[in-house]
């Protein structure tokens, strides 16, 4: 039975349904024609086909996949959607792989950061210890310099005392020599200019008058 026969013998409602189904069947034969899977009854030509599989219904704005006739699988390519359908338990999408790689990278960066922080901490401790050692060495040098200064001052004081004692000793020696020389000169002078008293033996000197001398109780000529 052809289209004209149905139109001739069917009632208006039946023919309308038949006409709609016939139209649907005819347009469905077009290679790029697709029906909206959202149930709005609309269909359209999607010229880019599988190359650009995202279709937006012109009637209800439902976004779906041209290849799979389902709501558009966000974050999944058509090949990934096929893998998901064939093995949903073991499926790993490109996004999952990227997320896993990003997580691995994050963990590696975290480990590297912690390693660097630990190295920085050890370096800081080393620098602090080195600074403390340097400060201890500076303090030791200051104490050593102060000790050497005191020792030098004490050495100079003792040296000054020794020099003063030596000078005093030399002065006393020279005084003793001078006194000895003066005493010796006096003795020689006395021996030359005096005679011993016949009585007490005390040196006496005649400086004027006659040769008659009287000493205490004993007259001497």
């Amino acid at each position: 039975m052809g289209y004209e026969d149905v139109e001739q013998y069917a009632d208006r409602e039946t023919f309308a349904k038949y006409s709609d189904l016939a139209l649907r069947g005819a347009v469905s034969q077009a290679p790029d024609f697709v029906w909206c899977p959202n149930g709005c009854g609309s269909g359209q030509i999607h010229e880019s086909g599988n190359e650009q599989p995202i279709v937006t219904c012109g009637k209800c704005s439902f976004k779906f996949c041209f290849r799979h006739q389902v709501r558009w699988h966000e974050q999944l390519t058509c090949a990934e959607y096929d893998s998901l359908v064939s093995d949903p338990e073991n499926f790993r999408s490109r996004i999952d792989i990227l997320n896993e790689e990003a997580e691995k990278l994050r963990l590696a960066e975290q480990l590297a950061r912690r390693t660097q922080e630990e190295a920085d901490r050890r370096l800081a401790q080393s620098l602090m210890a080195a600074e403390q050692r340097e400060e201890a060495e500076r303090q030791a040098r200051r104490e050593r310099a102060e000790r050497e200064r005191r020792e030098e001052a004490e050495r100079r004081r003792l040296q000054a005392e020794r020099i003063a004692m030596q000078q005093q000793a030399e002065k006393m020696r020279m005084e003793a020599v001078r006194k000895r020389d003066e005493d010796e000169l006096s003795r020689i002078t006395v021996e030359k200019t005096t005679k011993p008293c016949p009585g007490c033996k005390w040196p006496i000197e005649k400086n004027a008058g006659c040769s008659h001398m009287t000493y205490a109780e004993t007259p001497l000529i």
Side-chain angles (χ1 to χ4, degrees):
M1 181 178 290
Y3 182 83
E4 292 80 2
D5 296 331
V6 175
E7 183 179 12
Q8 181 179 357
Y9 295 107
D11 57 44
R12 181 176 296 180
E13 182 179 355
T14 302
F15 178 73
K17 292 181 179 180
Y18 173 79
S19 179
D20 183 63
L21 291 174
L23 177 61
R24 286 174 176 270
V27 296
S28 296
Q29 300 302 316
D32 294 331
F33 182 86
V34 62
W35 292 102
C36 176
N38 195 35
C40 69
S42 176
Q44 63 195 66
I45 298 294
H46 185 65
E47 295 180 353
S48 58
N50 287 325
E51 294 181 1
Q52 297 291 336
I54 301 177
V55 183
T56 301
C57 177
K59 182 178 181 181
C60 67
S61 300
F62 182 72
K63 187 166 66 173
F64 60 95
C65 177
F66 176 83
R67 175 175 173 178
H68 297 102
Q69 295 293 298
V70 296
R71 180 186 297 273
W72 175 246
H73 32 78
E74 296 288 347
Q75 299 182 349
L76 294 179
T77 64
C78 288
E80 289 175 334
Y81 185 79
D82 289 336
S83 298
L84 172 63
V85 172
S86 63
D87 189 6
E89 289 80 8
N90 299 316
F91 172 73
R92 292 167 64 243
S93 69
R94 175 177 52 86
I95 299 300
D96 292 335
I97 295 174
L98 291 176
N99 288 337
E100 290 175 2
E101 292 177 351
E103 179 64 14
K104 290 180 181 179
L105 180 60
R106 186 188 68 82
L107 293 176
E109 290 177 348
Q110 186 180 58
L111 178 60
R113 184 172 61 254
R114 289 179 179 176
T115 302
Q116 184 62 44
E117 289 174 353
E118 178 64 17
D120 292 342
R121 185 184 64 81
R122 292 182 179 178
L123 177 60
Q125 290 179 343
S126 176
L127 292 176
M128 184 178 298
E131 184 176 352
Q132 290 175 347
R133 287 196 301 270
E134 291 178 358
E135 179 60 26
E137 291 175 357
R138 287 194 294 268
Q139 181 64 25
R141 287 195 295 269
R142 287 193 294 267
E143 292 177 355
R144 183 169 59 252
E146 178 63 19
R147 184 173 61 254
E148 291 176 352
R149 185 191 64 79
R150 291 196 301 267
E151 291 176 352
E152 178 64 16
E154 181 66 13
R155 185 188 66 79
R156 291 183 179 181
R157 186 186 67 80
L158 294 176
Q159 184 178 17
E161 288 183 356
R162 285 195 299 270
I163 292 174
M165 292 175 65
Q166 289 174 354
Q167 291 176 345
Q168 182 66 22
E170 180 65 17
K171 182 178 180 181
M172 292 175 65
R173 187 188 66 79
M174 293 179 65
E175 182 67 22
V177 170
R178 184 187 64 78
K179 187 175 183 306
R180 184 199 62 188
D181 292 344
E182 289 179 352
D183 289 346
E184 180 65 18
L185 182 60
S186 296
R187 186 187 63 79
I188 294 173
T189 301
V190 169
E191 287 181 353
K192 288 182 178 181
T193 60
T194 66
K195 290 182 178 182
C197 173
C200 67
K201 307 302 182 183
W202 187 261
I204 57 176
E205 178 182 8
K206 178 183 176 182
N207 54 17
C210 65
S211 298
H212 177 80
M213 298 180 66
T214 300
Y215 172 72
E217 298 179 356
T218 306
L220 298 176
I221 297 176

